[in-house]
Amino acid sequence: MSPHHHPRAEIVVDLAAIRHNVRTLRALVTAEHPTEHPTEHPAGRPVQMMTVVKADGYGHGMASVARAAREAGADWLGVATLDEAQTLRESGDTGPVLCWLSVPGEDYDEAIATDVDVTAYSVEELDEIAAASEQVGYPARVQLKVDTGLSRGGAGAADWPAVVARARRGEVEGHWRVTGIWSHLSSSDVPDDPANANQEKLFEEALALAAEAGLRPEVRHLANSAAAILRPSARYDLVRCGIASYGLDPAPGHTPDLGLVPAMTARATLAMVRTVEAGSSVSYGHTWTATAPTTLGLVPVGYADGLPRSAGNRAEVAIAGRRCPVRGVICMDQLVVDLHGDTPPPGSTVLLFGPGHDGEPTAQDWAVAADTIVYEIVTRIGGRMTRTVIDSERPEETR
Ligand SMILES: *Cc1c(COP(=O)(O)O)cnc(C)c1O
């Protein structure tokens, strides 16, 4: 690559931002210590931090995010699938890892052999894990998920007694140790939604039944990023922070300013600049028409690279510190922006989104423009874009 080469379109991830965010969240959740629950928090044991790195680290690169999070004090890493857990182990991570989504017939052997905590939702899953543990000749680490109102995965209230009884039997028989019991909130981004308190109450009841069955889990957990930040009573022994670890706001309009820093920047190289006459319409379907002579810039990135097509005519980019609105619909490989009469040279950097330090929009701005949540913006961006991982605190280690 020549020193003057500009990539067509790239994602840049700053690990220093990830470390900063993980440290900030960790300091926040260990600072206060609510004890209003019947299953009171063991005195003096700090709330543990799980950094959730599923979906390739929310699009940031799982292995490098995982390393940065561990450095910043993440006690646990969280992933959805067994494959993701295995990828973490292959990348050299040896610490506590929890995964929570499997299908019938899943191969648990590797997870058991490498001390990955697997999650069971049902008696059937526990039976499968017991068979795998028998096969491997080694006890699994199993967490149980109870559904407390999301109505997604997990054991419902009717099945919970059978699940905890089966779990206890497997423990006595040496198939596993039940290391955790957990659930997931439906509405943590709306702090005063009564669903939050309701789910906490049902979680308490589920914990009590598990204790009666003889289970003594190491960790009980309920909170994702929004609840970890906004709801101290939901922190229990461990919080599972995904989106906030990447510097993105889990509950826009509710989250206090914690100084989290977005770790991802998406940028492209301006391909072409041209002026069109008044009356010219732009892009497929002619959804935008110039009312005066207009200088347009061609940005070589589109929905096949993960930009939301629905943000056409709504999103903005920044070129040389100036906001430029997208004109017309976003195409598969390219989009058109209004340069407001400026004529930046082709080859100029176009900031699609980033931390916002140079006048650029944020991923959250794109989420608003596309009528979605920021999670979808960062997990879908990619396509043909390259991803470069940097470390602004350690430039010599840039990978
Ligand atoms: C993805 C996920 C999280 C992380 O949620 P954030 O809102 O990104 O913090 C936590 N727990 C479970 C079960 C998840 O699936």
Side-chain angles (χ1 to χ4, degrees):
M1 209 188 275
S2 88
H4 303 296
H5 178 85
H6 299 279
R8 180 187 61 85
E10 68 171 347
I11 294 164
V12 180
V13 174
D14 186 358
L15 297 182
I18 303 273
R19 287 197 305 273
H20 167 81
N21 298 331
V22 172
R23 279 197 207 104
T24 301
L25 292 165
R26 205 159 173 273
L28 176 78
V29 299
T30 50
E32 302 154 58
H33 224 227
T35 53
E36 70 234 43
H37 288 298
T39 55
E40 205 162 294
H41 202 281
R45 217 166 77 187
V47 175
Q48 296 183 55
M49 171 60 65
M50 175 186 291
T51 301
V52 179
V53 298
K54 64 188 178 187
D56 201 18
Y58 287 46
H60 294 65
M62 182 167 71
S64 31
V65 167
R67 273 192 292 272
R70 290 287 196 203
E71 271 183 63
D75 306 284
W76 290 77
L77 298 174
V79 292
T81 69
L82 287 162
D83 285 348
E84 290 175 319
Q86 234 34 70
T87 304
L88 275 179
R89 287 294 185 242
E90 281 156 22
S91 78
D93 190 273
T94 56
V97 169
L98 172 67
C99 69
W100 50 71
L101 191 61
S102 40
V103 295
E106 197 89 65
D107 184 353
Y108 289 99
D109 296 6
E110 277 294 303
I112 293 172
T114 60
D115 279 327
V116 167
D117 285 49
V118 297
T119 299
Y121 298 177
S122 66
V123 169
E124 291 72 22
E125 263 180 287
L126 286 169
D127 289 342
E128 284 196 59
I129 297 165
S133 152
E134 195 83 40
Q135 159 114 5
V136 178
Y138 187 78
R141 294 176 55 89
V142 176
Q143 302 208 13
L144 306 177
K145 183 178 180 199
V146 58
D147 183 64
T148 53
L150 182 60
S151 303
R152 201 173 67 177
D159 298 322
W160 185 242
V163 169
V164 294
R166 175 70 184 89
R168 179 59 190 153
R169 181 159 67 81
E171 206 165 53
V172 171
E173 289 171 352
H175 284 139
W176 52 66
R177 157 132 191 78
V178 174
T179 51
I181 294 177
W182 63 277
S183 190
H184 194 45
L185 296 168
S186 65
S187 310
S188 58
D189 56 337
V190 184
D192 55 8
D193 192 312
N196 293 305
N198 244 328
Q199 287 196 259
E200 266 175 27
K201 182 171 158 288
L202 292 175
F203 189 51
E204 287 294 326
E205 291 171 12
L207 290 174
L209 283 173
E212 273 171 42
L215 297 176
R216 299 285 178 272
E218 295 160 19
V219 285
R220 301 155 303 167
H221 47 108
L222 182 60
N224 62 352
S225 293
I229 294 169
L230 296 166
R231 203 171 170 84
S233 61
R235 289 177 189 154
Y236 290 89
D237 305 316
L238 165 71
V239 294
R240 307 185 302 265
C241 289
I243 200 76
S245 315
Y246 303 94
L248 303 169
D249 188 344
H254 298 291
T255 314
D257 184 7
L258 301 173
L260 300 176
V261 180
M264 181 189 286
T265 296
R267 63 190 185 200
T269 296
L270 187 63
M272 182 184 185
V273 175
R274 52 192 287 255
T275 301
V276 298
E277 287 165 21
S280 303
S281 296
V282 175
S283 193
Y284 292 124
H286 282 176
T287 59
W288 186 84
T289 301
T291 54
T294 303
T295 325
L296 298 174
L298 181 67
V299 181
V301 58
Y303 63 77
D305 302 295
L307 287 179
R309 184 174 181 277
S310 55
N313 283 317
R314 294 165 80 177
E316 296 179 332
V317 303
I319 301 174
R322 186 158 189 208
R323 290 292 185 96
C324 305
V326 173
R327 299 303 194 202
V329 300
I330 293 174
C331 309
M332 188 183 293
D333 319 306
Q334 43 200 309
L335 59 87
V336 174
V337 297
D338 192 332
L339 298 169
H340 299 296
D342 287 352
T343 52
S348 298
T349 296
V350 179
L351 290 176
L352 300 163
F353 60 80
H357 299 156
D358 295 312
E360 77 277 17
T362 58
Q364 175 60 31
D365 293 329
W366 274 83
V368 170
D371 198 17
T372 183
I373 55 175
V374 70
Y375 299 69
E376 192 175 359
I377 300 299
V378 291
T379 56
R380 297 186 84 161
I381 193 92
R384 296 155 295 189
M385 299 173 84
T386 59
R387 186 172 59 212
T388 307
V389 177
I390 65 164
D391 193 327
S392 60
E393 282 170 0
R394 303 169 195 163
E396 72 286 355
E397 279 181 31
T398 285
R399 285 154 265 205

